[in-house]
Amino acid sequence: TQLQIYGPEGELCLRAELPQPAPALAASDTRLAVWSAGGESFSVFDAQGGLGSVEAEGELLDLRLRGDMAVAAVMGGEGLGLVTVYDGLLRPVYRWHAQTAWPLAAELSPEGDALAVLGSEEERARFESPGEYFIDLAWMDGGLCLLSEDRAVFLDEGGAQTGEYGFGSARLRDCAFGGDFALLVLEEAGQVSLVSLDASGGLIAQ
C-alpha cells in the first residue's frame, strides 16, 4: 500500500510505502496517521515526512489525532480493551484499561485534558439509550456529540442531554466536527444534503 501527500498547489510532497493492507486515515491540523481496523500498528506523518510507526498493544479498533497527540483504542490488554494516549514523540503517556466494555472510539478534548470513550461503563458521567447503537462521538464546545444511525445527541460534560437532531427517514453517510459545530452528510431518496449543527443540536445551515 502506498501513501501520497500533495501540497496546496497539487505538488507531490511525500510518497511512502505502508505496511497496512487496508488503510484508514486519521488527521489533525498538524499530522496524518495511517492505520487498519484489526491491525496492530499505525504510522504517523507530518508535512516533512514520516515520524515513525507505533506498535499498538492489541488489535486497533479506533485511532484519532488531536494536534500532535494520538489516541488509540485496541481490543485486548488487561481487560476487554485499552485506550492509550501518545505524545508528540509517539511515547505512551496515559493508558486506560476498559474492564466492562470494548472501547469502540476515543477522543481527546481540544485542550487535551480529558478523554471520552464510547462503549465504556467506567466513567465520571453516563448517558444511556437502551436499544440505540452509537457509532461515533466528538467533543464539541465543552460537551459531547454522539452519533447513532437515527440521530445526533448532544451532552454536557456531566452526561446530561442538552439537545438532539433526528435524521427522520434519512441515512447518515458521513460526518465532520469543527470544535463548535458538526457537519452531517445525510441521504434520503437518493438526494444528499449537508446539515450544520451547533453544540446544542441547533440547526445552523442546511
Side-chain angles (χ1 to χ4, degrees):
T1 305
Q2 188 179 86
L3 172 70
Q4 296 181 356
I5 299 177
Y6 293 87
E9 304 299 325
E11 71 277 14
L12 180 63
C13 298
L14 176 68
R15 180 185 287 114
E17 298 295 329
L18 301 173
Q20 292 83 7
L25 299 178
S28 69
D29 55 352
T30 58
R31 294 189 175 184
L32 175 73
V34 183
W35 63 289
S36 291
E40 297 186 354
S41 68
F42 61 92
S43 305
V44 181
F45 302 84
D46 64 8
Q48 284 68 50
L51 298 175
S53 295
V54 177
E55 293 296 325
E57 299 175 66
E59 296 182 5
L60 282 162
L61 299 170
D62 186 56
L63 182 73
R64 308 286 178 100
L65 297 182
R66 174 71 72 179
D68 289 347
M69 303 182 75
V71 184
V74 303
M75 182 185 301
E78 298 177 7
L80 294 177
L82 171 67
V83 177
T84 304
V85 179
Y86 298 87
D87 66 11
L89 298 178
L90 305 182
R91 301 173 302 190
V93 294
Y94 177 76
R95 288 185 176 92
W96 182 82
H97 296 272
Q99 301 296 329
T100 57
W102 288 284
L104 302 179
E107 181 77 85
L108 275 176
S109 65
E111 297 78 18
D113 58 355
L115 177 69
V117 181
L118 181 62
S120 170
E121 294 182 2
E122 301 176 19
E123 75 295 303
R124 293 183 300 177
R126 175 180 297 189
F127 171 79
E128 295 183 352
S129 182
E132 188 169 13
Y133 176 62
F134 289 98
I135 56 178
D136 206 352
L137 85 169
W139 289 96
M140 285 186 63
D141 199 21
L144 288 168
C145 175
L146 303 180
L147 289 178
S148 75
E149 296 176 330
D150 302 313
R151 61 175 178 155
V153 180
F154 298 85
L155 312 175
D156 63 20
E157 286 190 330
Q161 183 173 336
T162 59
E164 72 172 86
Y165 182 85
F167 305 153
S169 57
R171 298 183 63 183
L172 179 66
R173 289 302 188 188
D174 203 354
C175 62
F177 298 94
D180 58 356
F181 71 92
L183 182 63
L184 308 179
V185 181
L186 302 177
E187 181 180 352
E188 184 175 8
Q191 299 296 315
V192 176
S193 62
L194 298 178
V195 175
S196 180
L197 305 174
D198 63 24
S200 60
L203 183 64
I204 299 174
Q206 184 173 14

